[in-house]
Amino acid sequence: QVQLVESGGGLVQAGGSLRLSCVASGRTFSSAIMGWFRQAPGKGREFVAAIKWSGAITYYADFVKGRFTISRDNAKITVHLQMNSLKPEDTAVYYCAAKWGGSTYYTNDYGYWGQGTQVTVSS
């Protein structure tokens, strides 16, 4: 049974940084695509970043390019999202997700989701 557990959210001032982590378990992740999505109050869930576990190929939404970095730790089966230069509009619940198969990385069709971690950026 796949489990994804996020941590690292919190309250930070604009311009600050946070590092989110997603510990994965329950299946072999070597062929998985791992994604980070976020959902702000009153808005739909949107793609933030993704990484193909094999080869560590990364993808980013335009609004986070140059500010966020996604990475994975093979030994700890953990995916990180380093978030720098945070803005108030980055405030949202951030979700880790995993899927196997398929070629798209930015759509919501991930089969497994974590419980989410709140990120609040104050101005």
Side-chain angles (χ1 to χ4, degrees), residues 5 10-11 16 25-26 29 47 52 72 77 94 98 102 106 114 118 122:
V5 180
L11 173 65
S25 63
F29 286 81
F47 169 75
K52 293 184 73 172
R72 57 106 170 92
I77 318 179
Y94 283 71
Y106 53 87
Q118 176 70 48
S122 63

Side-chain angles (χ1 to χ4, degrees), residues 2-121:
V2 174
Q3 285 193 315
L4 305 172
V5 180
E6 302 102 330
S7 62
L11 173 65
V12 65
Q13 288 189 332
S17 298
L18 283 173
R19 187 191 195 206
L20 305 184
S21 297
C22 171
V23 179
S25 63
R27 186 169 170 174
T28 301
F29 286 81
S30 57
S31 61
I33 297 175
M34 305 295 294
W36 284 98
F37 289 75
R38 70 185 187 186
Q39 187 165 18
K43 296 187 177 181
R45 191 172 295 185
E46 63 179 353
F47 169 75
V48 175
I51 185 168
K52 293 184 73 172
W53 200 281
S54 175
I57 301 169
T58 58
Y59 310 91
Y60 297 95
D62 287 343
F63 57 80
V64 302
K65 283 182 181 177
R67 299 191 298 127
F68 293 9
T69 302
I70 188 171
S71 63
R72 57 106 170 92
D73 183 329
N74 267 331
K76 297 181 179 179
I77 318 179
T78 300
V79 177
H80 300 289
L81 185 68
Q82 177 67 43
M83 306 187 296
N84 299 328
S85 302
L86 283 162
K87 306 174 182 180
E89 52 263 43
D90 293 319
T91 295
V93 178
Y94 283 71
Y95 297 90
C96 176
K99 68 175 180 179
W100 286 259
S103 59
T104 58
Y105 51 88
Y106 53 87
T107 52
N108 260 321
D109 61 340
Y110 284 65
Y112 301 92
W113 295 83
Q115 81 287 352
T117 185
Q118 176 70 48
V119 171
T120 303
V121 185

